[in-house]
Amino acid sequence: MSTTQPMVCWFEECTREMVPLVGGKCSSLGELINAGIRVPPGFAITTRGYYDFMEQAGIMDDLAGLVGSLKADDLKGLETASSEIRQRIEAASFSLQLEDEIAESYRRLSIRSFMPATAVAVRSSATAEDLPGASFAGQQDTYLWIRGIDAVLEHAKRCMSSLYTARAMAYRIRMGFDHREVGISVGVQKMANSFTAGVMFTLNPSNGDRSSIVIDANFGFGESVVSGEVTPDQFRINKVSLEILQRTVSEKTVCYTVDTKTQTSVASEIPEERRNIQSVTDDELIELARMGKQIEQHYGRPMDIEWAIDKDMPRSGNIFILQARPETVWSEKRSEPVSAKARGKTTMDFILSSMMEGKKVS
Amino acid sequence: MIVSNWMQPDPITIASDLLLSEAKRILTENNLHALPVVDAGVLRGLVTRNDCLRVAQFVAATQNADEFSFFANRLRVRDVMVRRPATVQMTDTMEHVLEKGRELRIGQFPVMDGDDVVGIISANEIFNLAAHFLGAWERRSGITIGPLLHEPGIVGRIIDLVEEAGADVHAIYPIGCVEPHPPPGQRECKVIVRFHAPDFTAVSAALEAAGFHILESVQGQPQHATDQAVNG
């Protein structure tokens, strides 16, 4: 690793080319910010920071001994190695230099956020080599409403140790990656104190229709929607006219919010009278759809977007994009031409194809 | 002028896990500008009064009782302190301190002896330095002349003129007209003269008669010898 690369860098300094340094999540947040999208500020602890930590703590040198010659299908052995490595990572300390750099960025973030020891979300940001592994294992660690530098450092280490779950290790062994070559980055982002949050697809995820935008929403932090824990409100919006075409208001029983006494994120029951109320206003939906279009335009492909509406911010400046990634299910499907290949399909396909192709008059 | 002669020695230091509200109390009660944060003998940061005020302002703006309680009971010095603060060595010159402070736009430096904190330079010490320079408590008469070319012999000529007019010269400093770095070859300066004289107007008349342009003149009222401590 070149020593000129930073151990900590702001999201706005992250670009598309920096995935190996700051991971996919942070680099996409940087790209969004630079495209003029409203994203809560934050910084990334880079993979160089991760390597520095692992080397200083002496874990890097011991990896070979800990992992040994384990096979990908030796689940028991992997579990033992995993828990040992993860314990060592979480018990080790950052070097003073790295700790100071993280803490200094956190201090500046707090000043930017007008909140001493500001609340942040700490998330792992996987690098390219590990992307498939991370996504299949569902081990994209996210810790919400973290306050105070000690807690930030502790959860950053937890995110780093998520690189050594048994499943991620098995995946790397199967793919023939060297454990020491794969790094991880951690994003520390100002926490939006969301009243409502959720996800948005810039196509209809149930049929791939690109003319509509679909928004799922629930009260509180977006995690209840992302995890599928509640049935969220769902809205379908016309991408061109920005009309709300369909609204499904569900009974929402649980949401995640901050307990201001303990300063932690907690699941709380939604009171009876709010359960069946639309969790986001029509104006906000239209503003969201507009932002969704802008993001789709920037990336040139359908996107899967996480958003939040902050309750501490003034209206008109309170809708934030927390993450955006390319939609993968529909946009990678090749659309087959209806005609010509209709042979062997249904009767309707045959009739349609002959109508579209026309008949040759000899 | 060496830092160790001007700094406040043995400053109050605090540990990084101290509550910020406690640090704020120490700053206020001792009328200090900054507290070096030292853990196990190692300088880890600096908490300034400004930082504390800013935090208090953020907290007050929320008008939220839980945020107040977080501030009072959970927010620690290490959450707020500046990491790797700029420092100076006790063997540095005061000129170096002034230059560094100007450049970084900061007003306080922990003073180090190697890796140990042995003192602090803050606005209090800088005031003290300036006061000594100008003999602030002596109420000297002062005249500033210029702009003029800083040539060899000019300072001596001015002293001669002032003394011939019956004054007792206490200090004379040429200062640059252009700050902080004059263009090469630029030697234009102002000269500040501090003196006690029975007849103030005779001094300024003598200077003007010799062709010097007077920019400022202030007549002092000498007091009897004061018991001010004299430093470095």
Side-chain angles (χ1 to χ4, degrees), chain A residues 9 11 14-31 44-48 123-131 140 183-187:
Chain A
C9 81
F11 285 160
C14 299
T15 60
R16 203 190 287 234
E17 292 75 37
M18 283 165 69
V19 174
L21 186 65
V22 298
K25 197 170 292 174
C26 298
S27 83
S28 103
L29 287 172
E31 198 174 336
I45 305 168
T46 67
T47 50
R48 194 170 94 71
R123 301 187 144 101
S124 57
S125 175
T127 56
E129 299 97 312
D130 204 44
L131 267 182
Q140 294 282 18
I184 190 166
S185 159
V186 177

PDB file of all heavy atoms in Angstrom, chain A residues 9 11 14-31 44-48 123-131 140 183-187:
ATOM      1  N   CYS A   9     -10.784   9.589   4.999  1.00  0.00           N
ATOM      2  CA  CYS A   9     -11.077  10.673   4.058  1.00  0.00           C
ATOM      3  C   CYS A   9     -12.568  10.985   4.008  1.00  0.00           C
ATOM      4  O   CYS A   9     -13.400  10.125   4.273  1.00  0.00           O
ATOM      5  CB  CYS A   9     -10.480  10.397   2.680  1.00  0.00           C
ATOM      6  SG  CYS A   9     -11.398   9.323   1.636  1.00  0.00           S
ATOM      7  N   PHE A  11     -16.314  11.895   2.680  1.00  0.00           N
ATOM      8  CA  PHE A  11     -17.112  11.335   1.584  1.00  0.00           C
ATOM      9  C   PHE A  11     -16.951  12.155   0.304  1.00  0.00           C
ATOM     10  O   PHE A  11     -16.853  11.606  -0.783  1.00  0.00           O
ATOM     11  CB  PHE A  11     -18.603  11.314   1.945  1.00  0.00           C
ATOM     12  CG  PHE A  11     -18.981  10.233   2.929  1.00  0.00           C
ATOM     13  CD1 PHE A  11     -20.140  10.321   3.667  1.00  0.00           C
ATOM     14  CD2 PHE A  11     -18.166   9.114   3.092  1.00  0.00           C
ATOM     15  CE1 PHE A  11     -20.492   9.328   4.558  1.00  0.00           C
ATOM     16  CE2 PHE A  11     -18.508   8.114   3.985  1.00  0.00           C
ATOM     17  CZ  PHE A  11     -19.680   8.225   4.727  1.00  0.00           C
ATOM     18  N   CYS A  14     -14.331  11.158  -1.984  1.00  0.00           N
ATOM     19  CA  CYS A  14     -14.369   9.805  -2.546  1.00  0.00           C
ATOM     20  C   CYS A  14     -14.947   9.852  -3.960  1.00  0.00           C
ATOM     21  O   CYS A  14     -15.927  10.547  -4.210  1.00  0.00           O
ATOM     22  CB  CYS A  14     -15.243   8.891  -1.697  1.00  0.00           C
ATOM     23  SG  CYS A  14     -14.655   8.692  -0.015  1.00  0.00           S
ATOM     24  N   THR A  15     -14.322   9.099  -4.852  1.00  0.00           N
ATOM     25  CA  THR A  15     -14.831   9.037  -6.217  1.00  0.00           C
ATOM     26  C   THR A  15     -15.028   7.587  -6.616  1.00  0.00           C
ATOM     27  O   THR A  15     -14.652   6.667  -5.886  1.00  0.00           O
ATOM     28  CB  THR A  15     -13.834   9.675  -7.203  1.00  0.00           C
ATOM     29  OG1 THR A  15     -12.612   8.951  -7.112  1.00  0.00           O
ATOM     30  CG2 THR A  15     -13.577  11.136  -6.882  1.00  0.00           C
ATOM     31  N   ARG A  16     -15.598   7.419  -7.793  1.00  0.00           N
ATOM     32  CA  ARG A  16     -15.893   6.105  -8.335  1.00  0.00           C
ATOM     33  C   ARG A  16     -14.644   5.215  -8.412  1.00  0.00           C
ATOM     34  O   ARG A  16     -14.722   4.012  -8.250  1.00  0.00           O
ATOM     35  CB  ARG A  16     -16.422   6.334  -9.753  1.00  0.00           C
ATOM     36  CG  ARG A  16     -17.267   5.255 -10.318  1.00  0.00           C
ATOM     37  CD  ARG A  16     -17.484   5.555 -11.775  1.00  0.00           C
ATOM     38  NE  ARG A  16     -18.413   6.676 -11.945  1.00  0.00           N
ATOM     39  CZ  ARG A  16     -19.517   6.607 -12.695  1.00  0.00           C
ATOM     40  NH1 ARG A  16     -19.808   5.509 -13.298  1.00  0.00           N
ATOM     41  NH2 ARG A  16     -20.305   7.651 -12.824  1.00  0.00           N
ATOM     42  N   GLU A  17     -13.484   5.871  -8.670  1.00  0.00           N
ATOM     43  CA  GLU A  17     -12.257   5.084  -8.854  1.00  0.00           C
ATOM     44  C   GLU A  17     -11.682   4.612  -7.525  1.00  0.00           C
ATOM     45  O   GLU A  17     -10.708   3.872  -7.498  1.00  0.00           O
ATOM     46  CB  GLU A  17     -11.165   5.919  -9.568  1.00  0.00           C
ATOM     47  CG  GLU A  17     -11.472   6.266 -11.008  1.00  0.00           C
ATOM     48  CD  GLU A  17     -12.517   7.365 -11.116  1.00  0.00           C
ATOM     49  OE1 GLU A  17     -12.488   8.293 -10.277  1.00  0.00           O
ATOM     50  OE2 GLU A  17     -13.379   7.282 -12.014  1.00  0.00           O
ATOM     51  N   MET A  18     -12.265   5.091  -6.418  1.00  0.00           N
ATOM     52  CA  MET A  18     -11.625   4.814  -5.136  1.00  0.00           C
ATOM     53  C   MET A  18     -12.199   3.603  -4.404  1.00  0.00           C
ATOM     54  O   MET A  18     -11.951   3.438  -3.206  1.00  0.00           O
ATOM     55  CB  MET A  18     -11.679   6.057  -4.247  1.00  0.00           C
ATOM     56  CG  MET A  18     -10.653   7.095  -4.664  1.00  0.00           C
ATOM     57  SD  MET A  18     -10.965   8.689  -3.952  1.00  0.00           S
ATOM     58  CE  MET A  18     -10.623   8.385  -2.236  1.00  0.00           C
ATOM     59  N   VAL A  19     -12.945   2.759  -5.122  1.00  0.00           N
ATOM     60  CA  VAL A  19     -13.549   1.590  -4.472  1.00  0.00           C
ATOM     61  C   VAL A  19     -12.527   0.739  -3.703  1.00  0.00           C
ATOM     62  O   VAL A  19     -12.793   0.342  -2.571  1.00  0.00           O
ATOM     63  CB  VAL A  19     -14.338   0.745  -5.487  1.00  0.00           C
ATOM     64  CG1 VAL A  19     -14.840  -0.533  -4.849  1.00  0.00           C
ATOM     65  CG2 VAL A  19     -15.501   1.548  -6.039  1.00  0.00           C
ATOM     66  N   PRO A  20     -11.330   0.468  -4.254  1.00  0.00           N
ATOM     67  CA  PRO A  20     -10.382  -0.342  -3.489  1.00  0.00           C
ATOM     68  C   PRO A  20      -9.950   0.325  -2.184  1.00  0.00           C
ATOM     69  O   PRO A  20      -9.573  -0.345  -1.240  1.00  0.00           O
ATOM     70  CB  PRO A  20      -9.171  -0.475  -4.421  1.00  0.00           C
ATOM     71  CG  PRO A  20      -9.692  -0.170  -5.772  1.00  0.00           C
ATOM     72  CD  PRO A  20     -10.817   0.795  -5.603  1.00  0.00           C
ATOM     73  N   LEU A  21     -10.028   1.647  -2.136  1.00  0.00           N
ATOM     74  CA  LEU A  21      -9.581   2.358  -0.924  1.00  0.00           C
ATOM     75  C   LEU A  21     -10.718   2.559   0.078  1.00  0.00           C
ATOM     76  O   LEU A  21     -10.538   2.370   1.271  1.00  0.00           O
ATOM     77  CB  LEU A  21      -8.972   3.716  -1.310  1.00  0.00           C
ATOM     78  CG  LEU A  21      -8.333   4.490  -0.159  1.00  0.00           C
ATOM     79  CD1 LEU A  21      -7.125   3.737   0.391  1.00  0.00           C
ATOM     80  CD2 LEU A  21      -7.928   5.884  -0.602  1.00  0.00           C
ATOM     81  N   VAL A  22     -11.902   2.962  -0.408  1.00  0.00           N
ATOM     82  CA  VAL A  22     -12.967   3.320   0.533  1.00  0.00           C
ATOM     83  C   VAL A  22     -14.181   2.410   0.435  1.00  0.00           C
ATOM     84  O   VAL A  22     -15.159   2.600   1.156  1.00  0.00           O
ATOM     85  CB  VAL A  22     -13.412   4.784   0.341  1.00  0.00           C
ATOM     86  CG1 VAL A  22     -12.272   5.725   0.611  1.00  0.00           C
ATOM     87  CG2 VAL A  22     -13.991   5.018  -1.038  1.00  0.00           C
ATOM     88  N   GLY A  23     -14.133   1.416  -0.441  1.00  0.00           N
ATOM     89  CA  GLY A  23     -15.258   0.495  -0.538  1.00  0.00           C
ATOM     90  C   GLY A  23     -16.379   1.054  -1.389  1.00  0.00           C
ATOM     91  O   GLY A  23     -16.425   2.238  -1.698  1.00  0.00           O
ATOM     92  N   GLY A  24     -17.279   0.176  -1.754  1.00  0.00           N
ATOM     93  CA  GLY A  24     -18.352   0.550  -2.664  1.00  0.00           C
ATOM     94  C   GLY A  24     -19.291   1.581  -2.071  1.00  0.00           C
ATOM     95  O   GLY A  24     -19.675   2.551  -2.721  1.00  0.00           O
ATOM     96  N   LYS A  25     -19.640   1.402  -0.801  1.00  0.00           N
ATOM     97  CA  LYS A  25     -20.648   2.270  -0.207  1.00  0.00           C
ATOM     98  C   LYS A  25     -20.161   3.712  -0.120  1.00  0.00           C
ATOM     99  O   LYS A  25     -20.841   4.638  -0.536  1.00  0.00           O
ATOM    100  CB  LYS A  25     -21.012   1.729   1.179  1.00  0.00           C
ATOM    101  CG  LYS A  25     -22.293   2.272   1.712  1.00  0.00           C
ATOM    102  CD  LYS A  25     -22.720   1.534   2.966  1.00  0.00           C
ATOM    103  CE  LYS A  25     -23.121   0.105   2.670  1.00  0.00           C
ATOM    104  NZ  LYS A  25     -23.393  -0.675   3.885  1.00  0.00           N
ATOM    105  N   CYS A  26     -18.971   3.888   0.415  1.00  0.00           N
ATOM    106  CA  CYS A  26     -18.455   5.244   0.596  1.00  0.00           C
ATOM    107  C   CYS A  26     -18.181   5.911  -0.745  1.00  0.00           C
ATOM    108  O   CYS A  26     -18.421   7.109  -0.909  1.00  0.00           O
ATOM    109  CB  CYS A  26     -17.187   5.239   1.430  1.00  0.00           C
ATOM    110  SG  CYS A  26     -17.448   4.600   3.083  1.00  0.00           S
ATOM    111  N   SER A  27     -17.679   5.139  -1.709  1.00  0.00           N
ATOM    112  CA  SER A  27     -17.366   5.782  -2.985  1.00  0.00           C
ATOM    113  C   SER A  27     -18.663   6.222  -3.659  1.00  0.00           C
ATOM    114  O   SER A  27     -18.711   7.271  -4.292  1.00  0.00           O
ATOM    115  CB  SER A  27     -16.551   4.860  -3.881  1.00  0.00           C
ATOM    116  OG  SER A  27     -17.371   3.972  -4.573  1.00  0.00           O
ATOM    117  N   SER A  28     -19.737   5.447  -3.484  1.00  0.00           N
ATOM    118  CA  SER A  28     -20.984   5.875  -4.122  1.00  0.00           C
ATOM    119  C   SER A  28     -21.585   7.080  -3.391  1.00  0.00           C
ATOM    120  O   SER A  28     -22.179   7.962  -4.012  1.00  0.00           O
ATOM    121  CB  SER A  28     -21.963   4.702  -4.213  1.00  0.00           C
ATOM    122  OG  SER A  28     -22.960   4.782  -3.254  1.00  0.00           O
ATOM    123  N   LEU A  29     -21.373   7.155  -2.068  1.00  0.00           N
ATOM    124  CA  LEU A  29     -21.854   8.346  -1.349  1.00  0.00           C
ATOM    125  C   LEU A  29     -21.101   9.588  -1.815  1.00  0.00           C
ATOM    126  O   LEU A  29     -21.683  10.658  -1.987  1.00  0.00           O
ATOM    127  CB  LEU A  29     -21.682   8.163   0.158  1.00  0.00           C
ATOM    128  CG  LEU A  29     -22.663   7.185   0.797  1.00  0.00           C
ATOM    129  CD1 LEU A  29     -22.296   6.922   2.246  1.00  0.00           C
ATOM    130  CD2 LEU A  29     -24.079   7.725   0.719  1.00  0.00           C
ATOM    131  N   GLY A  30     -19.794   9.414  -2.036  1.00  0.00           N
ATOM    132  CA  GLY A  30     -18.998  10.541  -2.531  1.00  0.00           C
ATOM    133  C   GLY A  30     -19.485  10.989  -3.892  1.00  0.00           C
ATOM    134  O   GLY A  30     -19.598  12.186  -4.170  1.00  0.00           O
ATOM    135  N   GLU A  31     -19.807  10.015  -4.718  1.00  0.00           N
ATOM    136  CA  GLU A  31     -20.269  10.356  -6.056  1.00  0.00           C
ATOM    137  C   GLU A  31     -21.607  11.096  -5.994  1.00  0.00           C
ATOM    138  O   GLU A  31     -21.825  12.079  -6.708  1.00  0.00           O
ATOM    139  CB  GLU A  31     -20.407   9.084  -6.883  1.00  0.00           C
ATOM    140  CG  GLU A  31     -20.447   9.367  -8.356  1.00  0.00           C
ATOM    141  CD  GLU A  31     -20.433   8.087  -9.173  1.00  0.00           C
ATOM    142  OE1 GLU A  31     -19.960   7.064  -8.669  1.00  0.00           O
ATOM    143  OE2 GLU A  31     -20.912   8.142 -10.309  1.00  0.00           O
ATOM    144  N   ALA A  44     -14.843   8.261   5.619  1.00  0.00           N
ATOM    145  CA  ALA A  44     -14.538   6.843   5.510  1.00  0.00           C
ATOM    146  C   ALA A  44     -13.220   6.551   6.206  1.00  0.00           C
ATOM    147  O   ALA A  44     -12.269   7.315   6.086  1.00  0.00           O
ATOM    148  CB  ALA A  44     -14.426   6.447   4.040  1.00  0.00           C
ATOM    149  N   ILE A  45     -13.177   5.457   6.961  1.00  0.00           N
ATOM    150  CA  ILE A  45     -11.902   4.923   7.425  1.00  0.00           C
ATOM    151  C   ILE A  45     -11.489   3.973   6.312  1.00  0.00           C
ATOM    152  O   ILE A  45     -12.194   3.013   6.019  1.00  0.00           O
ATOM    153  CB  ILE A  45     -12.059   4.168   8.755  1.00  0.00           C
ATOM    154  CG1 ILE A  45     -12.708   5.079   9.802  1.00  0.00           C
ATOM    155  CG2 ILE A  45     -10.708   3.650   9.241  1.00  0.00           C
ATOM    156  CD1 ILE A  45     -13.161   4.340  11.048  1.00  0.00           C
ATOM    157  N   THR A  46     -10.381   4.274   5.652  1.00  0.00           N
ATOM    158  CA  THR A  46     -10.059   3.582   4.404  1.00  0.00           C
ATOM    159  C   THR A  46      -9.470   2.195   4.664  1.00  0.00           C
ATOM    160  O   THR A  46      -9.167   1.840   5.809  1.00  0.00           O
ATOM    161  CB  THR A  46      -9.038   4.394   3.591  1.00  0.00           C
ATOM    162  OG1 THR A  46      -7.806   4.389   4.316  1.00  0.00           O
ATOM    163  CG2 THR A  46      -9.497   5.819   3.377  1.00  0.00           C
ATOM    164  N   THR A  47      -9.302   1.450   3.575  1.00  0.00           N
ATOM    165  CA  THR A  47      -8.671   0.136   3.725  1.00  0.00           C
ATOM    166  C   THR A  47      -7.232   0.292   4.202  1.00  0.00           C
ATOM    167  O   THR A  47      -6.709  -0.576   4.888  1.00  0.00           O
ATOM    168  CB  THR A  47      -8.664  -0.634   2.393  1.00  0.00           C
ATOM    169  OG1 THR A  47      -8.139   0.219   1.379  1.00  0.00           O
ATOM    170  CG2 THR A  47     -10.065  -1.036   2.001  1.00  0.00           C
ATOM    171  N   ARG A  48      -6.593   1.432   3.876  1.00  0.00           N
ATOM    172  CA  ARG A  48      -5.242   1.634   4.395  1.00  0.00           C
ATOM    173  C   ARG A  48      -5.290   1.755   5.914  1.00  0.00           C
ATOM    174  O   ARG A  48      -4.416   1.252   6.618  1.00  0.00           O
ATOM    175  CB  ARG A  48      -4.569   2.864   3.789  1.00  0.00           C
ATOM    176  CG  ARG A  48      -3.075   2.867   4.078  1.00  0.00           C
ATOM    177  CD  ARG A  48      -2.314   3.910   3.321  1.00  0.00           C
ATOM    178  NE  ARG A  48      -2.148   5.140   4.073  1.00  0.00           N
ATOM    179  CZ  ARG A  48      -1.351   5.281   5.131  1.00  0.00           C
ATOM    180  NH1 ARG A  48      -0.657   4.259   5.589  1.00  0.00           N
ATOM    181  NH2 ARG A  48      -1.261   6.425   5.742  1.00  0.00           N
ATOM    182  N   ARG A 123     -20.998   2.013   9.314  1.00  0.00           N
ATOM    183  CA  ARG A 123     -21.321   0.919   8.391  1.00  0.00           C
ATOM    184  C   ARG A 123     -20.063   0.384   7.746  1.00  0.00           C
ATOM    185  O   ARG A 123     -19.144   1.126   7.442  1.00  0.00           O
ATOM    186  CB  ARG A 123     -22.168   1.459   7.231  1.00  0.00           C
ATOM    187  CG  ARG A 123     -23.450   2.096   7.605  1.00  0.00           C
ATOM    188  CD  ARG A 123     -24.227   2.420   6.328  1.00  0.00           C
ATOM    189  NE  ARG A 123     -25.630   2.222   6.536  1.00  0.00           N
ATOM    190  CZ  ARG A 123     -26.494   3.195   6.768  1.00  0.00           C
ATOM    191  NH1 ARG A 123     -26.077   4.430   6.814  1.00  0.00           N
ATOM    192  NH2 ARG A 123     -27.763   2.924   6.960  1.00  0.00           N
ATOM    193  N   SER A 124     -20.054  -0.915   7.475  1.00  0.00           N
ATOM    194  CA  SER A 124     -18.931  -1.452   6.716  1.00  0.00           C
ATOM    195  C   SER A 124     -19.149  -1.129   5.247  1.00  0.00           C
ATOM    196  O   SER A 124     -20.276  -1.035   4.778  1.00  0.00           O
ATOM    197  CB  SER A 124     -18.800  -2.949   6.938  1.00  0.00           C
ATOM    198  OG  SER A 124     -19.991  -3.596   6.602  1.00  0.00           O
ATOM    199  N   SER A 125     -18.039  -0.925   4.537  1.00  0.00           N
ATOM    200  CA  SER A 125     -18.107  -0.582   3.122  1.00  0.00           C
ATOM    201  C   SER A 125     -17.151  -1.534   2.408  1.00  0.00           C
ATOM    202  O   SER A 125     -15.946  -1.365   2.450  1.00  0.00           O
ATOM    203  CB  SER A 125     -17.680   0.879   2.962  1.00  0.00           C
ATOM    204  OG  SER A 125     -17.613   1.262   1.617  1.00  0.00           O
ATOM    205  N   ALA A 126     -17.723  -2.559   1.792  1.00  0.00           N
ATOM    206  CA  ALA A 126     -16.892  -3.630   1.241  1.00  0.00           C
ATOM    207  C   ALA A 126     -16.184  -3.182  -0.026  1.00  0.00           C
ATOM    208  O   ALA A 126     -16.708  -2.366  -0.787  1.00  0.00           O
ATOM    209  CB  ALA A 126     -17.746  -4.849   0.955  1.00  0.00           C
ATOM    210  N   THR A 127     -14.985  -3.703  -0.244  1.00  0.00           N
ATOM    211  CA  THR A 127     -14.242  -3.370  -1.460  1.00  0.00           C
ATOM    212  C   THR A 127     -14.597  -4.361  -2.564  1.00  0.00           C
ATOM    213  O   THR A 127     -15.249  -5.360  -2.322  1.00  0.00           O
ATOM    214  CB  THR A 127     -12.730  -3.430  -1.202  1.00  0.00           C
ATOM    215  OG1 THR A 127     -12.436  -4.729  -0.703  1.00  0.00           O
ATOM    216  CG2 THR A 127     -12.314  -2.385  -0.201  1.00  0.00           C
ATOM    217  N   ALA A 128     -14.154  -4.054  -3.758  1.00  0.00           N
ATOM    218  CA  ALA A 128     -14.567  -4.821  -4.933  1.00  0.00           C
ATOM    219  C   ALA A 128     -14.322  -6.317  -4.786  1.00  0.00           C
ATOM    220  O   ALA A 128     -15.188  -7.121  -5.090  1.00  0.00           O
ATOM    221  CB  ALA A 128     -13.847  -4.291  -6.157  1.00  0.00           C
ATOM    222  N   GLU A 129     -13.115  -6.691  -4.288  1.00  0.00           N
ATOM    223  CA  GLU A 129     -12.793  -8.109  -4.219  1.00  0.00           C
ATOM    224  C   GLU A 129     -13.813  -8.882  -3.407  1.00  0.00           C
ATOM    225  O   GLU A 129     -14.048 -10.052  -3.641  1.00  0.00           O
ATOM    226  CB  GLU A 129     -11.419  -8.331  -3.563  1.00  0.00           C
ATOM    227  CG  GLU A 129     -10.262  -7.698  -4.287  1.00  0.00           C
ATOM    228  CD  GLU A 129      -9.918  -6.364  -3.682  1.00  0.00           C
ATOM    229  OE1 GLU A 129     -10.856  -5.574  -3.466  1.00  0.00           O
ATOM    230  OE2 GLU A 129      -8.733  -6.111  -3.426  1.00  0.00           O
ATOM    231  N   ASP A 130     -14.364  -8.208  -2.432  1.00  0.00           N
ATOM    232  CA  ASP A 130     -15.219  -8.928  -1.510  1.00  0.00           C
ATOM    233  C   ASP A 130     -16.697  -8.675  -1.759  1.00  0.00           C
ATOM    234  O   ASP A 130     -17.538  -9.154  -1.025  1.00  0.00           O
ATOM    235  CB  ASP A 130     -14.861  -8.537  -0.070  1.00  0.00           C
ATOM    236  CG  ASP A 130     -15.272  -9.623   0.901  1.00  0.00           C
ATOM    237  OD1 ASP A 130     -15.013 -10.789   0.583  1.00  0.00           O
ATOM    238  OD2 ASP A 130     -15.872  -9.307   1.916  1.00  0.00           O
ATOM    239  N   LEU A 131     -17.019  -7.895  -2.767  1.00  0.00           N
ATOM    240  CA  LEU A 131     -18.416  -7.491  -2.948  1.00  0.00           C
ATOM    241  C   LEU A 131     -19.386  -8.655  -3.015  1.00  0.00           C
ATOM    242  O   LEU A 131     -20.367  -8.669  -2.283  1.00  0.00           O
ATOM    243  CB  LEU A 131     -18.546  -6.617  -4.207  1.00  0.00           C
ATOM    244  CG  LEU A 131     -18.436  -5.124  -3.965  1.00  0.00           C
ATOM    245  CD1 LEU A 131     -18.630  -4.374  -5.261  1.00  0.00           C
ATOM    246  CD2 LEU A 131     -19.453  -4.671  -2.935  1.00  0.00           C
ATOM    247  N   GLN A 140     -23.358  -6.883   5.735  1.00  0.00           N
ATOM    248  CA  GLN A 140     -23.043  -5.467   5.678  1.00  0.00           C
ATOM    249  C   GLN A 140     -23.436  -4.876   7.026  1.00  0.00           C
ATOM    250  O   GLN A 140     -24.578  -4.524   7.246  1.00  0.00           O
ATOM    251  CB  GLN A 140     -23.853  -4.790   4.570  1.00  0.00           C
ATOM    252  CG  GLN A 140     -23.481  -5.245   3.193  1.00  0.00           C
ATOM    253  CD  GLN A 140     -22.215  -4.596   2.706  1.00  0.00           C
ATOM    254  OE1 GLN A 140     -21.443  -4.070   3.501  1.00  0.00           O
ATOM    255  NE2 GLN A 140     -21.984  -4.618   1.420  1.00  0.00           N
ATOM    256  N   GLY A 183      -9.337  -6.124   1.882  1.00  0.00           N
ATOM    257  CA  GLY A 183      -9.496  -5.111   2.913  1.00  0.00           C
ATOM    258  C   GLY A 183     -10.947  -4.707   3.058  1.00  0.00           C
ATOM    259  O   GLY A 183     -11.812  -5.109   2.276  1.00  0.00           O
ATOM    260  N   ILE A 184     -11.207  -3.890   4.074  1.00  0.00           N
ATOM    261  CA  ILE A 184     -12.566  -3.396   4.263  1.00  0.00           C
ATOM    262  C   ILE A 184     -12.476  -1.943   4.705  1.00  0.00           C
ATOM    263  O   ILE A 184     -11.512  -1.553   5.361  1.00  0.00           O
ATOM    264  CB  ILE A 184     -13.322  -4.264   5.295  1.00  0.00           C
ATOM    265  CG1 ILE A 184     -14.805  -3.912   5.302  1.00  0.00           C
ATOM    266  CG2 ILE A 184     -12.721  -4.123   6.683  1.00  0.00           C
ATOM    267  CD1 ILE A 184     -15.664  -4.923   6.025  1.00  0.00           C
ATOM    268  N   SER A 185     -13.441  -1.164   4.314  1.00  0.00           N
ATOM    269  CA  SER A 185     -13.481   0.230   4.721  1.00  0.00           C
ATOM    270  C   SER A 185     -14.721   0.430   5.598  1.00  0.00           C
ATOM    271  O   SER A 185     -15.646  -0.382   5.563  1.00  0.00           O
ATOM    272  CB  SER A 185     -13.533   1.105   3.465  1.00  0.00           C
ATOM    273  OG  SER A 185     -14.045   2.376   3.766  1.00  0.00           O
ATOM    274  N   VAL A 186     -14.700   1.483   6.414  1.00  0.00           N
ATOM    275  CA  VAL A 186     -15.832   1.742   7.303  1.00  0.00           C
ATOM    276  C   VAL A 186     -16.321   3.160   7.064  1.00  0.00           C
ATOM    277  O   VAL A 186     -15.531   4.095   7.049  1.00  0.00           O
ATOM    278  CB  VAL A 186     -15.421   1.562   8.781  1.00  0.00           C
ATOM    279  CG1 VAL A 186     -16.577   1.902   9.703  1.00  0.00           C
ATOM    280  CG2 VAL A 186     -14.934   0.151   9.044  1.00  0.00           C
ATOM    281  N   GLY A 187     -17.610   3.309   6.855  1.00  0.00           N
ATOM    282  CA  GLY A 187     -18.192   4.636   6.674  1.00  0.00           C
ATOM    283  C   GLY A 187     -18.776   5.134   7.984  1.00  0.00           C
ATOM    284  O   GLY A 187     -19.466   4.388   8.677  1.00  0.00           O
TER     285      GLY A 187
END
